[in-house]
Coordinates of all heavy atoms in Angstrom, one line a residue:
M1 N 80.3 -23.5 38.6 CA 81.7 -23.7 38.7 C 82.0 -24.9 39.6 O 81.2 -25.2 40.6 CB 82.4 -22.5 39.4 CG 82.6 -21.4 38.4 SD 83.8 -20.3 39.0 CE 85.1 -20.8 37.9
R2 N 83.0 -25.6 39.4 CA 83.4 -26.7 40.1 C 84.3 -26.3 41.3 O 85.2 -25.4 41.1 CB 84.2 -27.7 39.3 CG 83.6 -29.0 39.0 CD 84.4 -29.7 38.1 NE 84.7 -31.0 38.7 CZ 85.3 -32.0 38.1 NH1 85.8 -31.9 36.9 NH2 85.5 -33.1 38.8
A3 N 84.1 -26.9 42.4 CA 84.9 -26.7 43.6 C 86.3 -27.3 43.4 O 86.4 -28.4 42.8 CB 84.3 -27.2 44.8
P4 N 87.4 -26.7 43.8 CA 88.7 -27.3 43.7 C 88.8 -28.6 44.4 O 88.2 -28.8 45.5 CB 89.7 -26.3 44.2 CG 88.8 -25.3 45.0 CD 87.4 -25.4 44.5
A5 N 89.4 -29.6 43.8 CA 89.6 -30.9 44.5 C 90.5 -30.8 45.7 O 91.5 -30.1 45.6 CB 90.1 -31.9 43.5
R6 N 90.1 -31.4 46.7 CA 91.0 -31.4 47.9 C 92.0 -32.6 47.8 O 91.6 -33.7 47.4 CB 90.1 -31.6 49.2 CG 89.2 -30.4 49.5 CD 88.6 -30.6 50.8 NE 88.3 -29.3 51.2 CZ 88.0 -29.0 52.5 NH1 87.9 -30.0 53.4 NH2 87.7 -27.8 52.9
L7 N 93.2 -32.2 48.3 CA 94.2 -33.3 48.3 C 94.1 -34.2 49.5 O 93.8 -33.7 50.6 CB 95.6 -32.6 48.3 CG 96.0 -31.8 47.1 CD1 97.3 -31.1 47.3 CD2 96.1 -32.6 45.8
P8 N 94.3 -35.4 49.3 CA 94.3 -36.3 50.4 C 95.3 -36.0 51.4 O 96.3 -35.3 51.1 CB 94.6 -37.7 49.8 CG 94.4 -37.6 48.3 CD 94.5 -36.1 48.0
A9 N 95.1 -36.3 52.7 CA 96.0 -36.0 53.7 C 97.4 -36.5 53.5 O 98.4 -35.8 53.8 CB 95.5 -36.5 55.1
V10 N 97.5 -37.7 52.9 CA 98.9 -38.3 52.6 C 99.6 -37.4 51.6 O 100.8 -37.2 51.8 CB 98.7 -39.7 52.1 CG1 100.0 -40.3 51.7 CG2 98.1 -40.6 53.2
T11 N 98.9 -37.0 50.6 CA 99.6 -36.1 49.6 C 100.1 -34.8 50.2 O 101.2 -34.4 49.9 CB 98.6 -35.8 48.4 OG1 98.1 -37.1 47.9 CG2 99.3 -35.1 47.3
K12 N 99.3 -34.2 51.0 CA 99.7 -33.0 51.7 C 100.9 -33.3 52.6 O 101.8 -32.4 52.7 CB 98.5 -32.5 52.6 CG 97.4 -31.9 51.7 CD 96.3 -31.3 52.6 CE 95.2 -30.7 51.9 NZ 94.1 -30.2 52.8
L13 N 100.9 -34.4 53.3 CA 102.0 -34.7 54.2 C 103.3 -34.9 53.4 O 104.3 -34.4 53.8 CB 101.7 -36.0 55.0 CG 102.7 -36.4 56.0 CD1 103.0 -35.4 57.0 CD2 102.3 -37.7 56.6
R14 N 103.2 -35.6 52.3 CA 104.4 -35.8 51.4 C 104.9 -34.5 50.9 O 106.1 -34.3 50.9 CB 104.0 -36.7 50.3 CG 103.9 -38.2 50.7 CD 103.7 -39.0 49.5 NE 103.5 -40.4 49.9 CZ 103.1 -41.4 49.2 NH1 102.7 -41.1 47.9 NH2 103.0 -42.6 49.6
A15 N 104.0 -33.6 50.5 CA 104.4 -32.3 50.0 C 105.1 -31.5 51.1 O 106.1 -30.9 50.9 CB 103.2 -31.5 49.4
A16 N 104.5 -31.5 52.3 CA 105.1 -30.8 53.4 C 106.5 -31.4 53.8 O 107.4 -30.6 54.1 CB 104.2 -30.8 54.6
T17 N 106.6 -32.7 53.7 CA 107.9 -33.3 54.0 C 108.9 -33.0 53.0 O 110.1 -32.7 53.3 CB 107.7 -34.9 54.1 OG1 106.7 -35.2 55.1 CG2 109.0 -35.6 54.5
A18 N 108.5 -32.9 51.7 CA 109.5 -32.6 50.7 C 110.0 -31.1 50.8 O 111.1 -30.8 50.7 CB 108.8 -32.8 49.3
R19 N 109.0 -30.2 51.2 CA 109.4 -28.8 51.4 C 110.4 -28.7 52.6 O 111.3 -28.0 52.6 CB 108.2 -28.0 51.6 CG 107.4 -27.7 50.3 CD 106.4 -26.6 50.5 NE 105.4 -26.8 51.6 CZ 104.3 -27.5 51.4 NH1 104.0 -28.0 50.3 NH2 103.5 -27.7 52.4
A20 N 110.1 -29.4 53.7 CA 110.9 -29.4 54.9 C 112.3 -30.0 54.6 O 113.3 -29.4 55.0 CB 110.3 -30.2 56.0
R21 N 112.4 -31.0 53.8 CA 113.7 -31.6 53.4 C 114.5 -30.6 52.6 O 115.7 -30.4 52.8 CB 113.5 -32.9 52.7 CG 114.8 -33.6 52.4 CD 114.7 -34.9 51.6 NE 115.9 -35.6 51.4 CZ 117.0 -35.1 50.8 NH1 117.0 -33.9 50.2 NH2 118.1 -35.8 50.7
R22 N 113.8 -30.0 51.6 CA 114.5 -29.0 50.8 C 115.1 -27.8 51.6 O 116.2 -27.4 51.5 CB 113.6 -28.4 49.7 CG 113.6 -29.3 48.4 CD 112.9 -28.5 47.3 NE 111.6 -28.0 47.6 CZ 110.5 -28.7 47.4 NH1 110.5 -29.9 46.9 NH2 109.3 -28.1 47.7
Y23 N 114.2 -27.4 52.5 CA 114.7 -26.3 53.4 C 115.8 -26.7 54.3 O 116.8 -26.0 54.4 CB 113.5 -25.9 54.3 CG 113.8 -24.8 55.3 CD1 114.0 -23.5 55.0 CD2 114.0 -25.2 56.7 CE1 114.4 -22.5 55.9 CE2 114.4 -24.2 57.6 CZ 114.5 -22.9 57.2 OH 114.9 -21.9 58.1
W24 N 115.8 -27.9 54.8 CA 116.8 -28.5 55.7 C 118.1 -28.6 54.9 O 119.2 -28.2 55.4 CB 116.4 -29.8 56.3 CG 117.5 -30.3 57.2 CD1 118.4 -31.4 56.9 CD2 117.8 -29.9 58.5 NE1 119.2 -31.5 58.0 CE2 118.9 -30.6 59.0 CE3 117.3 -28.8 59.3 CZ2 119.5 -30.4 60.2 CZ3 117.9 -28.6 60.5 CH2 119.0 -29.4 61.0
C25 N 118.1 -29.1 53.6 CA 119.2 -29.2 52.8 C 119.9 -27.9 52.5 O 121.1 -27.7 52.5 CB 118.9 -30.0 51.5 SG 118.6 -31.7 51.8
E26 N 119.1 -26.9 52.3 CA 119.6 -25.5 52.0 C 120.2 -24.9 53.3 O 121.3 -24.3 53.3 CB 118.5 -24.6 51.5 CG 118.0 -24.8 50.1 CD 119.1 -24.5 49.1 OE1 120.0 -23.7 49.3 OE2 119.0 -25.1 48.0
L27 N 119.6 -25.2 54.4 CA 120.0 -24.6 55.7 C 121.4 -25.2 56.1 O 122.3 -24.5 56.6 CB 119.0 -24.9 56.8 CG 119.2 -24.3 58.1 CD1 119.2 -22.8 58.0 CD2 118.2 -24.9 59.1
T28 N 121.6 -26.5 55.8 CA 122.8 -27.2 56.2 C 123.9 -27.1 55.2 O 125.0 -27.5 55.4 CB 122.5 -28.7 56.6 OG1 122.0 -29.3 55.4 CG2 121.6 -28.8 57.7
G29 N 123.6 -26.6 54.0 CA 124.6 -26.6 52.9 C 124.7 -27.8 52.1 O 125.5 -27.9 51.2
E30 N 123.8 -28.8 52.3 CA 123.9 -30.0 51.6 C 123.5 -29.9 50.1 O 124.0 -30.6 49.3 CB 122.9 -31.0 52.3 CG 123.0 -32.4 51.8 CD 122.1 -33.4 52.5 OE1 121.8 -33.1 53.7 OE2 121.6 -34.3 51.9
A31 N 122.7 -28.9 49.8 CA 122.3 -28.6 48.5 C 123.4 -28.0 47.6 O 123.2 -27.9 46.4 CB 121.0 -27.8 48.4
A32 N 124.4 -27.6 48.2 CA 125.5 -26.9 47.5 C 126.1 -27.8 46.4 O 126.4 -27.4 45.3 CB 126.6 -26.4 48.4
Y33 N 126.2 -29.1 46.7 CA 126.8 -30.1 45.8 C 125.9 -30.2 44.6 O 126.4 -30.2 43.4 CB 127.1 -31.4 46.4 CG 127.7 -32.4 45.5 CD1 129.0 -32.3 45.1 CD2 126.9 -33.5 45.0 CE1 129.6 -33.2 44.2 CE2 127.5 -34.4 44.1 CZ 128.8 -34.2 43.7 OH 129.4 -35.1 42.9
E34 N 124.6 -30.3 44.8 CA 123.7 -30.5 43.7 C 123.7 -29.2 42.8 O 123.7 -29.3 41.6 CB 122.2 -30.7 44.2 CG 122.0 -32.1 44.6 CD 122.5 -32.4 46.1 OE1 122.7 -31.4 46.8 OE2 122.6 -33.6 46.4
R35 N 123.8 -28.0 43.4 CA 123.9 -26.8 42.6 C 125.2 -26.8 41.8 O 125.3 -26.4 40.6 CB 123.9 -25.6 43.5 CG 122.5 -25.2 43.9 CD 122.4 -23.8 44.5 NE 123.3 -23.6 45.6 CZ 123.1 -23.9 46.9 NH1 121.9 -24.4 47.3 NH2 124.0 -23.7 47.8
Y36 N 126.3 -27.3 42.4 CA 127.6 -27.3 41.8 C 127.6 -28.3 40.5 O 128.0 -27.9 39.5 CB 128.7 -27.8 42.7 CG 129.9 -28.4 42.1 CD1 130.8 -27.7 41.4 CD2 130.1 -29.8 42.2 CE1 131.9 -28.2 40.8 CE2 131.2 -30.4 41.5 CZ 132.1 -29.6 40.8 OH 133.2 -30.2 40.2
V37 N 127.0 -29.5 40.7 CA 126.9 -30.4 39.6 C 126.0 -29.8 38.5 O 126.4 -29.9 37.3 CB 126.3 -31.8 40.1 CG1 126.0 -32.7 39.0 CG2 127.3 -32.4 41.1
A38 N 124.9 -29.3 38.8 CA 124.0 -28.7 37.8 C 124.7 -27.6 37.1 O 124.6 -27.5 35.8 CB 122.7 -28.2 38.5
H39 N 125.4 -26.7 37.8 CA 126.2 -25.6 37.2 C 127.3 -26.2 36.2 O 127.4 -25.7 35.1 CB 126.8 -24.7 38.2 CG 127.6 -23.6 37.7 ND1 127.1 -22.4 37.2 CD2 129.0 -23.5 37.5 CE1 128.1 -21.7 36.8 NE2 129.2 -22.3 37.0
S40 N 128.0 -27.2 36.7 CA 129.1 -27.7 35.9 C 128.5 -28.4 34.6 O 129.1 -28.2 33.6 CB 129.9 -28.8 36.7 OG 130.5 -28.2 37.8
R41 N 127.5 -29.1 34.8 CA 126.9 -29.8 33.6 C 126.3 -28.8 32.6 O 126.4 -29.0 31.4 CB 125.8 -30.8 34.0 CG 126.3 -31.9 34.9 CD 126.8 -33.0 34.0 NE 127.1 -34.2 34.9 CZ 128.3 -34.7 34.9 NH1 129.3 -34.2 34.2 NH2 128.6 -35.7 35.7
A42 N 125.7 -27.7 33.1 CA 125.1 -26.7 32.2 C 126.2 -26.0 31.4 O 126.0 -25.6 30.3 CB 124.3 -25.8 33.0
H43 N 127.3 -25.7 32.1 CA 128.4 -24.9 31.4 C 129.4 -25.7 30.6 O 129.9 -25.2 29.6 CB 129.1 -24.0 32.5 CG 128.3 -22.9 32.9 ND1 127.3 -23.0 33.8 CD2 128.3 -21.6 32.6 CE1 126.7 -21.8 34.0 NE2 127.3 -20.9 33.3
D44 N 129.6 -26.9 31.0 CA 130.6 -27.8 30.3 C 130.2 -29.2 30.5 O 130.7 -29.8 31.5 CB 132.0 -27.5 30.7 CG 133.0 -28.2 29.8 OD1 132.6 -28.9 28.8 OD2 134.2 -28.1 30.1
P45 N 129.3 -29.8 29.7 CA 128.9 -31.2 29.9 C 130.0 -32.2 29.9 O 129.9 -33.3 30.4 CB 127.9 -31.4 28.8 CG 127.5 -30.1 28.3 CD 128.7 -29.2 28.6
E46 N 131.1 -31.9 29.2 CA 132.2 -32.8 29.1 C 133.2 -32.8 30.3 O 134.0 -33.6 30.5 CB 133.0 -32.5 27.8 CG 132.2 -32.5 26.6 CD 131.7 -33.9 26.3 OE1 132.4 -34.9 26.5 OE2 130.5 -34.0 25.9
A47 N 133.1 -31.7 31.1 CA 134.0 -31.6 32.3 C 133.8 -32.6 33.3 O 132.6 -33.1 33.5 CB 133.8 -30.2 32.9
Q48 N 134.8 -33.0 33.9 CA 134.8 -34.0 35.0 C 134.3 -33.3 36.3 O 134.8 -32.3 36.7 CB 136.1 -34.7 35.3 CG 136.1 -35.8 36.3 CD 137.4 -36.4 36.5 OE1 138.4 -36.1 35.8 NE2 137.5 -37.4 37.3
V49 N 133.3 -33.9 36.9 CA 132.7 -33.3 38.1 C 133.4 -34.0 39.4 O 133.6 -35.2 39.4 CB 131.2 -33.5 38.2 CG1 130.6 -33.0 39.4 CG2 130.5 -32.9 37.0
L50 N 133.7 -33.1 40.3 CA 134.3 -33.7 41.6 C 133.3 -34.6 42.3 O 132.1 -34.4 42.2 CB 134.6 -32.5 42.5 CG 135.7 -31.5 42.2 CD1 135.7 -30.4 43.2 CD2 137.0 -32.2 42.1
S51 N 133.8 -35.6 43.0 CA 133.0 -36.4 43.8 C 132.5 -35.6 45.0 O 133.0 -34.5 45.3 CB 133.8 -37.6 44.4 OG 134.7 -37.1 45.3
R52 N 131.4 -36.0 45.6 CA 130.9 -35.3 46.7 C 131.9 -35.1 47.8 O 132.1 -34.0 48.4 CB 129.6 -36.0 47.3 CG 129.0 -35.2 48.5 CD 127.8 -35.8 49.1 NE 126.6 -35.7 48.3 CZ 125.8 -34.6 48.4 NH1 126.1 -33.6 49.2 NH2 124.8 -34.5 47.6
R53 N 132.7 -36.1 48.1 CA 133.7 -36.1 49.1 C 134.8 -35.0 48.8 O 135.2 -34.2 49.6 CB 134.4 -37.4 49.3 CG 135.4 -37.5 50.3 CD 136.0 -38.9 50.5 NE 136.9 -38.9 51.6 CZ 136.9 -39.9 52.5 NH1 136.1 -40.9 52.4 NH2 137.7 -39.8 53.5
A54 N 135.2 -35.0 47.5 CA 136.3 -34.0 47.1 C 135.7 -32.6 47.1 O 136.3 -31.7 47.5 CB 136.8 -34.4 45.7
F55 N 134.4 -32.5 46.7 CA 133.8 -31.2 46.7 C 133.7 -30.6 48.2 O 134.0 -29.5 48.4 CB 132.3 -31.3 46.1 CG 131.5 -30.0 46.3 CD1 131.7 -29.0 45.4 CD2 130.6 -29.9 47.3 CE1 131.0 -27.8 45.6 CE2 129.8 -28.8 47.4 CZ 130.0 -27.7 46.6
E56 N 133.2 -31.5 49.1 CA 133.1 -31.1 50.5 C 134.5 -30.7 51.1 O 134.6 -29.8 51.9 CB 132.4 -32.1 51.3 CG 130.9 -32.3 51.0 CD 130.1 -31.1 51.2 OE1 130.5 -30.2 52.0 OE2 129.0 -31.0 50.6
R57 N 135.5 -31.5 50.7 CA 136.9 -31.2 51.2 C 137.3 -29.9 50.7 O 137.8 -29.1 51.5 CB 137.8 -32.3 50.8 CG 139.2 -32.2 51.2 CD 139.4 -32.5 52.7 NE 139.5 -31.3 53.5 CZ 139.3 -31.3 54.8 NH1 139.0 -32.4 55.5 NH2 139.4 -30.2 55.5
R58 N 137.1 -29.6 49.5 CA 137.5 -28.3 48.9 C 136.7 -27.2 49.5 O 137.3 -26.1 49.8 CB 137.3 -28.3 47.4 CG 137.9 -27.1 46.7 CD 137.8 -27.2 45.2 NE 138.8 -28.2 44.7 CZ 139.0 -28.4 43.4 NH1 138.2 -27.9 42.5 NH2 139.9 -29.3 43.0
R59 N 135.5 -27.4 49.7 CA 134.6 -26.4 50.3 C 135.0 -26.1 51.7 O 135.1 -24.9 52.2 CB 133.2 -26.9 50.3 CG 132.2 -25.9 50.7 CD 130.8 -26.5 50.4 NE 129.8 -25.8 51.2 CZ 128.9 -26.4 52.0 NH1 128.8 -27.7 51.9 NH2 128.1 -25.8 52.7
T60 N 135.3 -27.1 52.5 CA 135.8 -26.9 53.9 C 137.1 -26.2 53.9 O 137.3 -25.3 54.8 CB 135.8 -28.3 54.6 OG1 134.6 -28.9 54.5 CG2 136.3 -28.1 56.0
D61 N 138.0 -26.6 53.1 CA 139.3 -26.0 53.1 C 139.2 -24.5 52.7 O 139.9 -23.6 53.4 CB 140.3 -26.6 52.0 CG 140.7 -28.0 52.5 OD1 140.6 -28.3 53.7 OD2 141.2 -28.8 51.6
A62 N 138.4 -24.1 51.8 CA 138.2 -22.7 51.4 C 137.5 -21.9 52.5 O 137.9 -20.8 52.8 CB 137.3 -22.6 50.2
R63 N 136.6 -22.6 53.2 CA 135.9 -21.9 54.3 C 136.9 -21.6 55.5 O 136.9 -20.6 56.1 CB 134.7 -22.7 54.8 CG 133.8 -22.0 55.8 CD 132.5 -22.7 56.0 NE 132.7 -24.1 56.4 CZ 132.1 -25.1 55.8 NH1 131.3 -24.9 54.8 NH2 132.4 -26.3 56.2
E64 N 137.7 -22.6 55.8 CA 138.7 -22.5 56.9 C 139.8 -21.5 56.6 O 140.4 -21.0 57.4 CB 139.2 -23.8 57.3 CG 138.2 -24.7 58.0 CD 138.6 -26.1 58.3 OE1 139.8 -26.4 58.0 OE2 137.9 -26.8 59.0
A65 N 140.1 -21.3 55.3 CA 141.2 -20.4 54.9 C 140.8 -19.0 54.9 O 141.6 -18.1 54.9 CB 141.7 -20.8 53.5
D66 N 139.5 -18.7 54.9 CA 139.0 -17.4 54.9 C 138.9 -16.8 56.3 O 138.2 -17.3 57.1 CB 137.5 -17.4 54.2 CG 137.0 -16.0 54.0 OD1 137.7 -15.0 54.4 OD2 135.9 -15.9 53.4
P67 N 139.7 -15.8 56.6 CA 139.7 -15.2 57.9 C 138.4 -14.6 58.3 O 138.1 -14.5 59.5 CB 140.8 -14.2 57.9 CG 141.0 -13.9 56.4 CD 140.6 -15.1 55.7
R68 N 137.5 -14.2 57.4 CA 136.2 -13.6 57.7 C 135.3 -14.7 58.3 O 134.3 -14.4 59.0 CB 135.6 -13.0 56.5 CG 136.4 -11.8 56.0 CD 135.8 -11.3 54.7 NE 136.0 -12.4 53.7 CZ 135.5 -12.4 52.5 NH1 134.8 -11.4 52.1 NH2 135.7 -13.5 51.7
E69 N 135.6 -15.9 58.0 CA 134.7 -17.0 58.5 C 135.1 -17.5 59.9 O 134.4 -18.3 60.5 CB 134.8 -18.2 57.6 CG 134.2 -18.0 56.2 CD 132.7 -18.0 56.2 OE1 132.1 -18.7 57.1 OE2 132.2 -17.3 55.4
G70 N 136.1 -16.9 60.5 CA 136.6 -17.4 61.8 C 137.6 -18.5 61.6 O 138.1 -18.7 60.6
F71 N 137.7 -19.3 62.7 CA 138.6 -20.4 62.6 C 138.1 -21.5 63.5 O 137.2 -21.3 64.3 CB 140.0 -20.0 63.1 CG 140.0 -19.6 64.6 CD1 140.3 -20.5 65.5 CD2 139.7 -18.3 65.0 CE1 140.3 -20.2 66.9 CE2 139.8 -17.9 66.3 CZ 140.0 -18.9 67.2
R72 N 138.7 -22.7 63.2 CA 138.3 -23.9 64.0 C 139.4 -24.2 64.9 O 140.6 -24.3 64.5 CB 138.1 -25.1 63.0 CG 136.7 -25.3 62.7 CD 136.5 -26.5 61.8 NE 137.2 -27.7 62.2 CZ 137.2 -28.8 61.5 NH1 136.5 -28.9 60.4 NH2 137.8 -29.8 62.0
C73 N 139.1 -24.3 66.1 CA 140.2 -24.5 67.1 C 140.5 -26.0 67.3 O 141.5 -26.4 67.8 CB 139.8 -23.9 68.5 SG 138.4 -24.7 69.2
C74 N 139.6 -26.9 66.9 CA 139.7 -28.3 67.1 C 139.5 -29.1 65.9 O 138.7 -28.8 65.1 CB 138.8 -28.8 68.2 SG 138.7 -27.7 69.6

């Protein structure tokens, strides 16, 4: 049997960096826009997709209107 090939250190570093970035995007909510676009395109390819700015504005407004989320004082 052949031993599995070892990945070079650079490849491992890139893979680890990509995983860390994906995790960070999920943690901060940045990936929500990509999920929204993918969902919109899958369900209605002809529909107009909000810009990232409009999406974030709508998302922030909804979050601040929900009393369970607390409130922003400033």
Side-chain angles (χ1 to χ4, degrees):
M1 284 200 104
R2 245 176 126 173
R6 290 189 156 196
L7 294 175
V10 173
T11 305
K12 288 182 181 180
L13 181 61
R14 284 184 182 165
T17 302
R19 285 192 304 273
R21 185 182 185 295
R22 274 194 306 271
Y23 177 75
W24 182 254
C25 288
E26 287 293 335
L27 187 65
T28 61
E30 191 176 329
Y33 181 72
E34 284 80 17
R35 282 193 306 272
Y36 157 73
V37 171
H39 177 82
S40 294
R41 296 277 186 239
H43 285 77
D44 188 3
E46 304 295 319
Q48 184 176 1
V49 177
L50 293 173
S51 67
R52 181 179 283 275
R53 183 179 186 135
F55 172 80
E56 292 296 341
R57 180 76 257 164
R58 187 176 286 183
R59 186 171 157 229
T60 302
D61 289 345
R63 191 170 51 234
E64 290 177 355
D66 188 355
R68 295 172 298 172
E69 292 288 328
F71 64 93
R72 264 181 46 184
C73 66
C74 314

